[in-house]
Amino acid sequence: MSDQQVLVLVRAHIEKYGKAAAEKASARAKALSEIGDAEGAEMWLKVADTIARKV
């Protein structure tokens, strides 16, 4: 996933969840990790980290 695509997800997540956006993205990463989707989990961790720096 490109940096541009990550930023689109970041903006959408912040718009939808506000201050809870980073927490929601982290939870999604954890859920994906638990089912064995390491690539998806890594992407959502990147989203969560980016959100945390913005909010």
Side-chain angles (χ1 to χ4, degrees):
M1 177 168 272
S2 72
D3 288 342
Q4 185 76 25
Q5 290 170 315
V6 169
L7 289 176
V8 169
L9 280 174
V10 165
R11 287 185 195 113
H13 234 57
I14 291 171
E15 186 174 312
K16 185 171 183 175
Y17 297 111
K19 291 183 179 182
E23 183 180 335
K24 294 284 189 177
S26 292
R28 189 164 194 171
K30 182 180 178 188
L32 289 170
S33 179
E34 288 173 354
I35 63 168
D37 184 353
E39 186 176 320
E42 183 179 332
M43 182 205 60
W44 279 100
L45 283 175
K46 186 174 182 178
V47 170
D49 288 343
T50 304
I51 291 170
R53 285 184 270 134
K54 287 188 173 284
V55 175

